[in-house]
């Protein structure tokens, strides 16, 4: 474990190249290129070096649905995507609503050893929305849970939501809300719009998301508790959050790569690979989300990586499961979308789409801020001597053509099959050890 | 010209639609000359794949295929795949293995025929016989055929014809296909319903929208009444059947508002006393039974054209017999 590693000539945050020396689990030194030596050298010439990415919203499916994903396969997908930490959502079977289950997930993550697996605890017992789960026991467990969410389902009962927000203050927890009014979305199949009307698919109105967010920011302000809004998908939600932040309300928010890139028009193919919760929205929503990511209204990009086995997508739209893979494509999409020039992000990519990528912003959106919201001390640290060496090293000189079969995830439900995304993850260091070298698992 | 599949009325150009209607007209003539069966599709296999019960639509297609001498297989898939019966994919692979030349699918899920046609599971033609709340293109074709017979002496398009479609537009595949097809054929369509039963964005549809049937009826050449299902009450779309019937039902008083020659259509099955009164349903202005007859001819025409028949051929065969 004492072998030192030299990351040669990488560009931290896309800036001037340096040599980064790692000893043990920490960055030991940052030196001028060509001046440092170590036992092992990882070439990072021309590459962007970022703090290891932190996903606040990942479905690893274990325990219970191991045919879709396991903690091991999900960890591999995460590492290959540049992540050094993922938050495993609670909607497993059994549900992660007790200290026992969250500790099991946490231990399995350590055994896999590719990323920090931080379990998210359920807010309510069995995600049933009736009774608070043992939030304190999960917080005090070895897994030290800080993020609580019934994701997949909305904590709809306003009183229960209030109590959850209040209760987690005792251990500086955060409630991550899946904002979806269940009555307004009964049977909903896609964004409610002119298109849903024409396709005859039951609509999922924007107001079903926005009304819950409006209620929750007011509750958060009233209780003085931290609220995190999962997968914001509409322009109206952005406005509500912007208003709440302007009032100093304690709210953070995330957007997913797919909501930053894809629009509802894809649904007219009736191909369920585009079926996701919340649904793909209008172009105007995508543009509002991009602006919100750039101006800080949205704090983080989170994947909502949601693996599903083939049979759950190889069917008619109404029968299909909701969700998309995201871990291995998130950074390439972010590189296109998070730019200094707001207009230069484009859907069809190419390597020069990343000339104006704002790497400082990506480090904030995909590492520093999610680590802060999730209270993960060892993640999202600055690239400087003394920091834990969690690093993602990204090569902008290549392109990646996405293929479901080539992804490490056990499932293949990527909506980006055939897309060419800019760049590729070249190396990843997890707590000072390489988890990915030259684009493959170390 | 009309492609390999018939999935949506929106895919038809005016020329396509007129050709289908003309072909249906020829086939009707042939059938009237008591030639019940044409040899056109001999040796071809046509499957009716119904995930929803609809005996009348299935029988209409079955009759159409048999009159063209096709081998017909009726495949009633019990329960939709939503209830975890056999999946659509496995059913499709089975039909492909049986060598189906055309699959006529009725499914409760909007878009299911698109999956069948585009997922790479089968090679044959796919005909949409009603998918969820999306489309029912052959119903629109038979309605257009019926309208054309009454309003345009059975030829050409429907330019200038005024048609109102009344009822549960939101959940109606018949309405979606009819709005598209009638518009393509040049008709002026008005949809009439309480606002709760109109889809989001209906103002972008190529039709007028009204909440008041009494305003519309004096200015139509035809009115199409849609079936209203009792379960819509549970969804709070309207208070109760009585109020619906009073505000949107077609009874004798309302029928009297229509111009004398205007006709009444209904895709069936009718809820007598709800959207249509018994007097109206049984009046000579209601062409419901004709619609059923026309359905067979139109479906013959669709099968004929999709599976490669040519009208010239038809003329010869018809004449020979
Ligand atoms: Zn969610």
């Amino acid at each position: 474990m004492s072998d030192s590693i030299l990351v040669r000539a990488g560009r931290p945050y896309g800036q001037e190249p340096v040599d980064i020396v790692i000893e043990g689990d920490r960055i030991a030194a940052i030196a001028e290129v060509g001046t440092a030596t170590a036992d092992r050298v990882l070439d990072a010439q021309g590459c962007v070096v970022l703090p290891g990415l932190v996903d606040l919203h990942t479905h690893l499916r274990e325990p219970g649905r191991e045919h879709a994903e396991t903690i091991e396969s999900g960890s591999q997908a995460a590492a290959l995507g540049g992540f050094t930490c993922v938050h495993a959502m609670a909607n497993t079977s059994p549900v992660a609503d007790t200290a026992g289950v969250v500790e099991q997930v946490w231990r399995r993550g350590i055994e896999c050893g590719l990323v920090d697996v931080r379990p998210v605890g359920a807010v309510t017992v069995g995600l049933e929305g009736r009774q608070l789960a043992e939030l304190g026991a999960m917080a005090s467990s070895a897994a030290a849970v800080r993020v609580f969410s019934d994701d997949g389902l909305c904590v709809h009962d306003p009183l229960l939501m209030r109590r959850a927000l209040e209760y987690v203050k005792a251990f500086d927890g955060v409630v991550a809300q899946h904002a979806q009014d269940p009555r307004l979305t009964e049977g909903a199949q896609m964004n409610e719009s002119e298109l849903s009307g024409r396709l005859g698919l039951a609509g999922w109105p924007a107001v079903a998301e926005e009304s819950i967010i409006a209620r929750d920011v007011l509750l958060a302000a009233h209780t003085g508790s931290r609220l995190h809004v999962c997968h914001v998908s509409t322009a109206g939600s952005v406005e509500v959050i912007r208003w709440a932040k302007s009032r100093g309300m304690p709210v953070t928010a995330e957007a997913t790569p797919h909501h930053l890139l894809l629009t509802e028009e894809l649904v007219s193919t009736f191909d369920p690979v585009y079926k996701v919760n919340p649904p793909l929205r209008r172009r105007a929503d995508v543009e509002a989300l991009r602006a919100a990511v750039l101006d800080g209204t949205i704090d983080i990009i989170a994947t909502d990586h949601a693996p599903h086995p083939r049979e759950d997508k190889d069917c008619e739209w109404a029968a299909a499961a909701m969700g998309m893979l995201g871990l291995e494509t998130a950074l390439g999409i972010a590189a296109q979308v998070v730019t200094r020039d707001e207009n230069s992000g484009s859907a069809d990519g190419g390597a020069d789409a990343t000339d104006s990528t704002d790497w400082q912003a990506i480090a904030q959106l995909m590492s520093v801020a999610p680590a802060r919201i999730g209270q993960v001390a060892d993640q999202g640290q600055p690239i400087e001597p003394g920091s834990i060496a969690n690093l993602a090293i990204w090569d902008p000189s290549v392109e990646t053509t996405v293929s479901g079969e080539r992804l490490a995830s056990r499932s293949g439900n990527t909506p980006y099959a055939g897309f060419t995304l800019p760049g590729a993850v070249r190396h990843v260091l997890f707590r000072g050890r390489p988890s990915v070298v030259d684009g493959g698992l170390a | 010209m009309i492609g390999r599949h018939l999935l949506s009325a929106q895919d038809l150009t005016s020329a396509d639609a007129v050709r289908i209607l003309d072909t249906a007209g020829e086939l009707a003539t042939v059938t009237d000359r008591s030639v019940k069966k044409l040899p056109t599709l001999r040796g071809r296999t046509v499957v009716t794949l119904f995930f929803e019960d609809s005996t009348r639509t299935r029988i209409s297609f079955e009759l159409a295929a048999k009159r063209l001498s096709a081998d017909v297989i009726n495949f009633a898939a019990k329960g939709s795949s939503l209830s975890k019966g056999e999946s659509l994919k496995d059913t499709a692979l089975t039909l492909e293995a049986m060598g189906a030349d055309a699959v006529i699918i009725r499914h409760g899920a909007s878009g299911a025929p698109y999956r069948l046609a585009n997922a790479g599971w089968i090679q044959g033609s796919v005909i949409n016989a009603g998918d969820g709340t999306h489309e029912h293109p052959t119903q629109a074709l038979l309605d257009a055929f019926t309208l054309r017979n009454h309003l345009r002496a059975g030829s050409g398009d429907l330019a200038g014809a005024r048609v109102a479609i009344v009822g549960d537009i939101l959940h109606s595949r018949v309405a979606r296909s009819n709005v598209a097809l009638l518009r393509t054929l040049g008709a002026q369509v008005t949809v009439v319903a309480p606002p709760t039963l109109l889809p989001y964005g209906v103002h972008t549809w190529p039709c007028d929208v009204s909440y008041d049937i009494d305003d519309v009826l004096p200015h139509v050449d035809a009115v199409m009444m849609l079936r209203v299902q009792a379960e819509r009450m549970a969804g709070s779309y309207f208070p109760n059947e009585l109020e619906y019937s009073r505000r949107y039902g077609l009874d004798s008083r309302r029928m009297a508002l229509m111009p004398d020659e205007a006709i009444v259509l209904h895709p069936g099955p009718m809820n007598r006393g709800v959207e249509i009164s018994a007097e109206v349903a049984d009046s000579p202005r209601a062409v419901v039974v004709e619609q059923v007859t026309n359905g067979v001819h139109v479906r013959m025409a669709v099968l004929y054209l999709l599976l490669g028949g040519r009208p010239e051929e038809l003329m010869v065969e018809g004449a020979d017999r």
Side-chain angles (χ1 to χ4, degrees):
Chain A
M1 284 296 284
S2 63
D3 289 1
S4 59
I5 295 175
L6 167 59
V7 176
R8 177 179 284 158
R11 299 184 291 126
Y13 311 102
Q15 294 163 355
E16 291 310 302
V18 294
D19 283 353
I20 302 172
V21 181
I22 290 134
E23 283 172 8
D25 64 354
R26 285 176 195 268
I27 297 174
I30 294 188
E32 227 175 278
V33 174
T35 62
T37 55
D39 302 320
R40 180 171 181 188
V41 175
L42 293 176
D43 178 29
Q45 181 96 34
C47 293
V48 175
V49 183
L50 296 170
L53 307 183
V54 177
D55 193 13
L56 202 64
H57 193 147
T58 317
H59 295 276
L60 292 180
R61 303 302 188 209
E62 184 179 347
R65 292 185 58 207
E66 288 84 358
H67 58 305
E69 194 79 287
T70 62
I71 292 169
E72 182 173 36
S73 65
S75 294
Q76 291 171 348
L80 289 165
F83 290 87
T84 52
C85 175
V86 297
H87 287 74
M89 275 299 175
N91 62 339
T92 49
S93 178
V95 171
D97 59 1
T98 62
V101 178
V102 294
E103 285 189 350
Q104 179 195 342
V105 170
W106 176 71
R107 289 219 169 81
R108 184 71 192 126
I110 292 172
E111 283 166 19
C112 295
L114 290 165
V115 292
D116 283 336
V117 174
R118 307 280 317 133
V120 173
V123 175
T124 66
V125 174
L127 308 176
E128 286 174 353
R130 286 204 280 272
Q131 183 191 344
L132 283 187
E134 293 173 357
L135 308 182
M138 290 189 276
S140 306
S141 73
V145 175
R146 289 296 176 270
V147 182
F148 298 90
S149 182
D150 277 0
D151 182 61
L153 296 167
C154 182
V155 181
H156 177 240
D157 180 335
L159 183 63
L160 203 54
M161 186 61 182
R162 175 199 169 140
R163 295 283 183 253
L165 284 165
E166 286 176 325
Y167 196 79
V168 301
K169 279 203 284 192
F171 31 86
D172 199 16
V174 61
V175 178
Q177 175 71 294
H178 171 117
Q180 179 190 356
D181 187 301
R183 281 285 280 160
L184 285 173
T185 52
E186 277 173 17
Q189 297 289 321
M190 71 169 289
N191 180 44
E192 182 157 275
S193 64
E194 286 87 32
L195 185 63
S196 67
R198 275 190 275 129
L199 296 178
L201 289 171
W204 192 312
V207 61
E209 174 173 313
E210 293 154 5
S211 60
I212 294 290
I213 296 174
R215 180 199 75 179
D216 285 354
V217 296
L218 294 170
L219 283 174
H222 183 67
T223 57
S225 307
R226 288 203 294 144
L227 169 72
H228 178 74
V229 185
C230 296
H231 42 51
V232 171
S233 73
T234 78
S237 298
V238 167
E239 279 185 55
V240 173
I241 292 163
R242 192 174 279 135
W243 172 83
K245 287 189 163 186
S246 76
R247 297 292 187 96
M249 294 176 178
V251 55
T252 55
E254 77 192 27
T256 69
H258 46 275
H259 289 112
L260 290 168
L261 191 67
L262 307 177
T263 60
E264 64 170 4
E265 275 70 32
L266 292 164
V267 179
S268 55
T269 62
F270 291 106
D271 184 339
V273 77
Y274 303 115
K275 186 174 177 182
V276 66
N277 176 351
L280 300 179
R281 306 279 191 183
R282 302 164 305 154
R283 169 58 52 192
D285 295 304
V286 169
E287 277 160 14
L289 289 177
R290 288 185 179 193
V293 162
L294 299 181
D295 75 13
T297 302
I298 286 176
D299 303 83
I300 67 170
I301 294 174
T303 67
D304 196 4
H305 178 81
H308 288 292
R310 180 187 298 224
E311 62 271 22
D312 289 349
K313 289 289 190 181
D314 217 4
C315 56
E316 63 276 19
W317 184 273
M322 292 184 273
M324 301 175 163
L325 298 185
L327 286 169
E328 294 171 75
T329 45
L331 187 53
I333 293 167
Q336 258 172 241
V337 169
V338 183
T339 56
R340 286 180 296 272
D341 169 8
E342 200 179 310
N343 298 319
S344 67
S346 69
D348 38 14
D352 47 10
T354 63
D355 284 353
S356 61
T357 300
D358 187 340
W359 293 108
Q360 285 283 5
I362 286 183
Q364 282 296 317
L365 288 160
M366 300 184 73
S367 179
V368 178
R372 186 187 70 235
I373 294 166
Q375 304 277 297
V376 198
D378 290 353
Q379 298 284 342
Q381 296 188 357
I383 303 172
E384 63 184 31
S387 290
I388 303 279
N390 290 316
L391 298 173
I393 297 157
W394 193 81
D395 182 354
S397 70
V398 296
E399 293 181 336
T400 304
T401 300
V402 182
S403 144
E405 289 91 74
R406 282 208 297 273
L407 297 174
S409 174
R410 252 190 205 193
S411 297
N413 56 305
T414 174
Y416 311 112
F419 276 48
T420 299
L421 296 177
V425 171
R426 171 132 19 131
H427 314 300
V428 180
L429 287 132
F430 170 57
R431 295 182 176 275
R433 302 287 86 191
S435 56
V436 173
V437 172
D438 289 324
L441 291 170
Chain B
M1 194 47 210
I2 180 167
R4 184 152 64 97
H5 309 298
L6 178 59
L7 303 178
S8 161
Q10 305 204 40
D11 298 339
L12 297 172
T13 64
S14 179
D16 293 339
V18 169
R19 185 167 183 201
I20 294 169
L21 301 186
D22 288 348
T23 305
E26 302 286 355
L27 290 162
T29 311
V30 172
T31 313
D32 283 351
R33 289 204 301 261
S34 74
V35 181
K36 287 284 182 205
K37 224 168 169 179
L38 298 174
T40 318
L41 298 185
R42 185 167 293 151
R44 313 293 288 277
T45 301
V46 172
V47 178
T48 65
L49 173 60
F50 275 52
F51 288 84
E52 278 184 349
D53 285 337
S54 174
T55 309
R56 53 170 56 215
T57 304
R58 186 183 58 70
I59 287 175
S60 179
F61 270 109
E62 184 178 352
L63 201 53
K66 284 184 170 165
R67 286 197 180 159
L68 294 169
S69 303
D71 297 325
V72 180
I73 299 171
N74 293 314
F75 200 116
K78 268 298 154 207
S80 72
S81 61
L82 288 170
S83 61
K84 289 290 163 204
E86 189 177 28
S87 76
L88 179 60
K89 178 181 180 177
D90 288 328
T91 307
L93 296 177
T94 303
L95 300 181
E96 178 68 5
M98 290 173 180
D101 295 295
V103 177
I104 295 157
I105 177 174
R106 160 69 63 99
H107 200 292
S110 299
Y114 284 72
R115 291 295 283 160
L116 196 59
N118 298 323
W121 301 329
I122 61 168
Q123 300 299 314
S125 293
V126 175
I127 298 172
N128 182 357
D131 62 326
T133 55
H134 180 225
E135 286 237 26
H136 192 356
T138 60
Q139 178 71 42
L141 285 163
L142 78 87
D143 290 335
F145 187 78
T146 308
L147 290 166
R148 195 175 78 153
N149 283 350
H150 281 268
L151 307 178
R152 295 292 179 268
S155 75
D157 60 16
L158 290 168
R162 300 165 303 172
V163 182
I165 305 176
V166 182
D168 184 358
I169 309 295
L170 177 62
H171 300 99
S172 177
R173 49 194 172 212
V174 175
R176 280 177 183 74
S177 288
N178 260 303
V179 168
L181 183 71
L182 294 176
R183 182 66 207 146
T184 298
L185 289 168
Q188 294 169 16
V189 181
T190 305
V191 295
V192 183
T196 45
L197 291 176
L198 290 167
Y200 185 94
V202 71
H203 60 280
T204 65
W205 289 22
C207 61
D208 292 326
V209 178
S210 172
Y211 307 141
D212 187 342
I213 186 171
D214 291 337
D215 270 1
V216 173
L217 289 179
H219 313 291
V220 298
D221 301 309
V223 62
M224 189 180 296
M225 303 305 297
L226 301 176
R227 179 180 169 81
V228 167
Q229 278 159 337
E231 70 246 35
R232 300 300 168 216
M233 272 189 295
S236 301
Y237 291 99
F238 52 84
N240 57 46
E241 271 182 14
L242 186 61
E243 169 150 332
Y244 181 85
S245 180
R246 281 191 189 133
R247 292 178 68 84
Y248 294 95
L250 187 63
D251 57 12
S252 308
R253 179 190 69 78
R254 284 210 166 103
M255 192 163 68
L257 299 174
M258 295 165 59
D260 290 342
E261 67 287 0
I263 55 170
V264 177
L265 292 86
H266 193 299
M270 294 186 281
N271 287 318
R272 287 168 181 254
V274 185
E275 74 270 2
I276 190 165
S277 73
E279 299 79 60
V280 174
D282 295 332
S283 84
R285 297 170 71 172
V287 297
V288 181
V289 177
E290 240 177 280
Q291 287 174 275
V292 175
T293 310
N294 292 341
V296 177
H297 298 140
V298 160
R299 287 168 178 133
M300 285 174 80
V302 167
L303 285 167
Y304 192 89
L305 293 171
L306 281 183
L307 295 182
R310 287 182 300 277
E312 307 83 75
E313 220 176 277
L314 172 67
M315 297 308 292
V316 174
E317 283 165 2
D320 282 352
R321 290 166 179 271

